[in-house]
Amino acid sequence: MPSKPAPPITMDAVYAAPGYLFRRMQQIAVSIFMEECKAFDLTPVQYAALVAIHTHPGIDATRLSAVIAFDRSTLGSVIERLQAKDYIERKPATEDKRIKLLYLTRQGAGILKDIIPAVERAQARMLEPLKPADRKTLMTLLVQLVDLNNEASRVPLRAEDALEHLGKAG
Amino acid sequence: MPSKPAPPITMDAVYAAPGYLFRRMQQIAVSIFMEECKAFDLTPVQYAALVAIHTHPGIDATRLSAVIAFDRSTLGSVIERLQAKDYIERKPATEDKRIKLLYLTRQGAGILKDIIPAVERAQARMLEPLKPADRKTLMTLLVQLVDLNNEASRVPLRAEDALEHLGKAG
DNA sequence: CCTAGATTGGCAGTATACTGTCAATCTACA
DNA sequence: TGTAGATTGACAGTATACTGCCAATCTAGG
């Protein structure tokens, strides 16, 4: 019995692969974000970190990484850069000498407030080529897929972790 | 007339933003790819480059970047690593001393053939949590969106560029 | 022919991402 | 109480990505 013939190797197979499309779309999304926000000198990651610190003042780096689902190693340099720009400050925790608590500075809170319209323009532009109904469908499916694949990523999203520093048990 | 009140800044707004979802999904996709393909020591980018060189033997680095829509600067180091693993070789072109032509080695062709089942498992796993009909819907919308946003990325996909080295005019 | 502009590949610099390791520190259990 | 194991932040090493610059080279126009 002859074995199945191997399918031909084509670029079209690459172009249609989910992984390739996710990569391309992410690159396009970053490109649009940077274009709309170039006046603010903030990257998408730095923006997400600022929002999380704004929402959870006094969070530490490890929990921050869980809240935005970014790698903890990467986050170290992100925090350094935000600190160098005077958008955040780090204060050692009194009860636990390992932990450094993160807070927005006045400038950080200011730039966060100012950049929001540009961020919203960027997010809208990413989906603009689709019809409104299709935008909604795509976002709904993507939210589902990211959520159902949460554990597949090295840094699963743990939104509730952010509350632990307020004394709630894990 | 009072101005509209600023909307509150929440993490939920970040979690629902297209850019955030594209980033998360890309990270998950890379994670799944690396897991399925860990026996082969090939990254997603390296895999795409191998396929493109297989499909277009004798392509140069600049056209390769257009065919897979990856940044040319980045591609330099990708090519170096593939060359260090003896999967590709570079030959200077005789007519144009600037150009170095890319070819798969015997090992490169071999690993490409061997890795395909693992790549297909990875691609399937990325979408597995969705119902089959939803997978199709998502892929259709994503192909559309990437195509319609093609010019928004720094390196737009130019699939037809790959044919130019065969003598066809651009 | 000869030069202005384009192309090619290489490099430096910055910013994510991830793996793995480490010391300092804390916690919980024996 | 003492210590094994967990946690936190830091670091080294690798691999994308992108911006901008550069020298070598090619091409087209005058």
Side-chain angles (χ1 to χ4, degrees), chain A residues 29-52:
Chain A
V30 171
S31 177
I32 290 175
F33 183 102
M34 294 307 280
E35 201 178 309
E36 289 292 342
C37 301
K38 61 173 174 288
F40 296 93
D41 189 32
L42 267 192
T43 67
V45 171
Q46 290 168 13
Y47 167 76
L50 280 192
V51 172

Side-chain angles (χ1 to χ4, degrees), chain B residues 23 27 60-63 72-73 80 90 98-100:
Chain B
R23 174 182 301 270
Q27 287 175 352
D60 63 277
T62 296
R63 262 179 258 285
R72 197 167 52 90
S73 297
E80 260 175 41
R90 314 184 74 173
R98 295 170 303 177
I99 294 177
K100 298 178 183 175

Side-chain angles (χ1 to χ4, degrees), chain A residues 3 6 21 56 61-62 74 80 90 105 114 121-122 127 133 135 139 144 146 150 152 159 164 168-169:
Chain A
S3 63
L21 291 167
H56 307 295
T62 296
T74 307
E80 261 176 40
R90 314 183 75 174
T105 60
D114 292 343
R121 275 197 307 276
L127 300 181
R135 289 174 209 161
M139 284 302 100
Q144 269 183 56
V146 166
N150 192 33
E164 287 180 19
K168 314 233 168 83

